[in-house]
């Protein structure tokens, strides 16, 4: 097992040269070919059956936590990148049943509904077809041969539908590093902050191969208190670009945060857009989760001092999707 505390050395950042920094990080952290030329699972290869079985032993009390936001029209989206909040519409209702207009015999009535929404409008996973690097998708494939108008024909999110189950580890960076449990917008979480948080939490927060890491910044708690504002796409705390080597060297299976964009915003370069995504998804093959509600779980972990748990976080298997909603369940 790789020791995530010592997996990487400190990485400096030249804010004026994003192109070189991204290229260098992509080369250092590339997992292309690691699991064969046909691989579609990326870092989920680190999470095997033995690790799932071991994770099941972490259930001590049976206390469970949903880590999902509610999917409704009061969500965080405001139309940027054409992302809207879910639109929920009733197709049949109780009033229809009372009126006797549904056409069922013997007094039977029922309700039915439909939802329309972007697949990444709330708590979700970014799939491996979500981001490209210079026209290349995960494992070095040409982006145009992976994702077409028919969807992701190779690494569609359905390929991960039965895999994201295992040991979850909460790193409450907001509580350890921040003020009153929250990091300010624009705060870049470095590897040093990650390691400090692990040390503060103790042995149960040790991160190793195949783990699913959850990083709490506290931004969601602030948005819940003050309103969504620019939560979707605006300034936010998040992972520093310099953590790319830690993400690669720790050999984690996946990582999620309580923010819209996972990495710090504004991004750390003078001219860049989500550069850590550009390294993490197409080059490392890492699944990223965003907009996860970690607050209740964090309170429980702080109370009992246990930061590891059984986690199941299967994406909705929409065929060919490059991301998908999820209702993650942590069980302690």
């Amino acid at each position: 097992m790789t020791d995530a505390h010592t997996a990487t050395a400190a990485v400096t950042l030249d804010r004026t040269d994003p192109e070189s920094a991204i290229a260098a990080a992509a080369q250092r952290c590339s997992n292309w070919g690691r699991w064969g030329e046909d691989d579609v699972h990326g870092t989920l290869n680190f999470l095997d059956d033995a690790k799932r079985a071991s994770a099941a032993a972490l259930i001590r009390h049976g206390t469970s936590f949903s880590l999902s936001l509610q999917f409704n029209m009061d969500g965080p989206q405001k139309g940027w990148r054409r992302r809207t909040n879910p639109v929920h519409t009733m197709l049949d209702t109780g009033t229809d049943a009372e009126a006797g207009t549904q056409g069922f015999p013997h007094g039977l009535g029922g309700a039915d509904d439909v939802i329309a929404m972007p697949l990444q409008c709330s708590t979700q996973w970014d799939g491996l077809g979500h981001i490209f690097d210079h026209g290349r998708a995960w494992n070095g494939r040409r982006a145009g041969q992976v994702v077409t108008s028919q969807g992701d024909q190779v690494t569609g999110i359905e390929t991960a539908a039965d895999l994201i189950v295992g040991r979850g580890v909460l790193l409450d960076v907001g509580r350890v590093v921040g003020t009153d449990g929250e990091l300010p917008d624009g705060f870049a979480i470095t590897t040093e902050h990650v390691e400090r948080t692990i040390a503060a939490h103790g042995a149960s927060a040790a991160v190793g191969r195949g783990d699913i890491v959850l990083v709490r910044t506290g931004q969601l708690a602030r948005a819940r208190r003050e309103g969504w504002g620019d939560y979707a796409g605006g300034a936010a705390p998040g992972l520093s670009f310099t953590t790319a080597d830690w993400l690669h060297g720790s050999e984690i299976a996946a990582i999620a945060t309580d923010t819209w964009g996972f990495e710090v915003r504004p991004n750390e370069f003078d001219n860049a857009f989500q550069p850590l995504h550009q390294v993490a998804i197409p080059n490392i093959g890492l699944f990223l989760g965003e907009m996860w509600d970690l607050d209740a779980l964090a309170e429980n972990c702080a109370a009992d001092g246990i930061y590891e748990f059984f986690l199941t976080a299967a994406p909705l298997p929409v065929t060919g999707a490059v991301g998908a909603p999820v209702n993650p369940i942590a069980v302690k």
Side-chain angles (χ1 to χ4, degrees):
M1 177 180 294
T2 299
D3 184 347
H5 290 256
T6 60
T8 59
V11 178
T12 58
L13 184 70
D14 180 356
R15 297 175 183 273
T16 66
D17 189 9
E19 186 73 17
S20 295
I22 294 169
Q27 183 177 26
R28 289 195 311 270
C29 301
S30 175
N31 281 326
W32 288 4
R34 184 170 186 168
W35 297 286
E37 63 180 13
D38 295 328
D39 180 70
V40 298
H41 294 144
T43 54
L44 294 182
N45 283 287
F46 292 130
L47 179 50
D48 57 22
D49 292 347
K51 292 188 180 299
R52 294 188 187 93
S54 177
L58 297 175
I59 300 176
R60 299 170 298 131
H61 307 298
T63 306
S64 60
F65 301 86
S66 169
L67 309 182
S68 179
L69 298 176
Q70 294 188 21
F71 285 75
N72 58 39
M73 292 186 68
D74 296 322
Q77 301 299 332
K78 56 182 182 179
W80 191 71
R81 294 201 69 199
R82 293 174 288 185
R83 290 181 181 172
T84 60
N85 292 312
V87 178
H88 178 216
T89 304
M90 298 307 302
L91 301 178
D92 272 318
T93 68
T95 55
D96 297 329
E98 288 182 0
T101 60
Q102 294 180 323
F104 299 124
H106 317 305
L108 175 73
D112 213 349
D113 45 8
V114 65
I115 191 168
M117 66 178 188
L119 294 179
Q120 299 186 49
C121 68
S122 191
T123 306
Q124 54 94 24
W125 283 116
D126 284 347
L128 295 186
H130 179 51
I131 297 292
F132 312 123
D133 181 13
H134 290 82
R136 295 288 169 174
W138 160 242
N139 224 19
R141 301 178 178 96
R142 289 178 52 193
Q145 293 181 340
V146 174
V147 182
T148 71
S149 61
Q150 301 300 310
D152 186 336
Q153 304 293 290
V154 180
T155 52
I157 202 70
E158 73 278 4
T159 62
D162 59 349
L163 299 179
I164 312 180
V165 181
R167 177 180 183 256
V169 180
L170 176 69
L171 302 183
D172 193 349
V173 184
R175 186 180 298 268
V176 173
V177 179
T179 301
D180 296 327
E182 299 173 13
L183 299 174
D185 292 341
F187 186 96
I189 299 170
T190 65
T191 299
E192 188 275 329
H193 295 130
V194 170
E195 293 175 341
R196 191 197 314 177
T197 300
I198 293 171
H201 290 341
S204 68
V207 173
R209 178 182 294 172
D211 287 341
I212 306 166
V213 177
L214 312 181
V215 177
R216 181 185 174 276
T217 70
Q219 191 199 29
L220 180 58
R222 184 162 60 250
R224 184 177 284 119
R225 182 176 66 248
E226 300 176 359
W228 289 118
D230 289 330
Y231 175 86
L239 275 289
S240 168
F241 180 81
T242 61
T243 61
D245 294 85
W246 183 87
L247 294 171
H248 176 252
S250 59
E251 297 186 342
I252 58 176
I255 186 169
T257 70
D258 60 349
T259 67
W260 171 90
F262 174 72
E263 58 191 283
V264 63
R265 294 182 56 79
N267 301 137
E268 296 158 285
F269 296 103
D270 294 340
N271 180 27
F273 181 75
Q274 302 299 77
L276 187 55
H277 276 65
Q278 190 173 342
V279 175
I281 294 178
N283 291 290
I284 300 177
L286 183 63
F287 281 71
L288 306 183
E290 293 159 337
M291 294 178 283
W292 288 38
D293 186 351
L294 306 176
D295 290 341
L297 175 63
E299 288 295 326
N300 184 273
C301 291
D304 70 4
I306 303 298
Y307 287 83
E308 62 180 348
F309 38 84
F310 178 81
L311 178 67
T312 178
L316 191 67
V318 180
T319 303
V322 298
V326 60
N327 177 27
I329 304 293
V331 188
K332 295 187 69 177

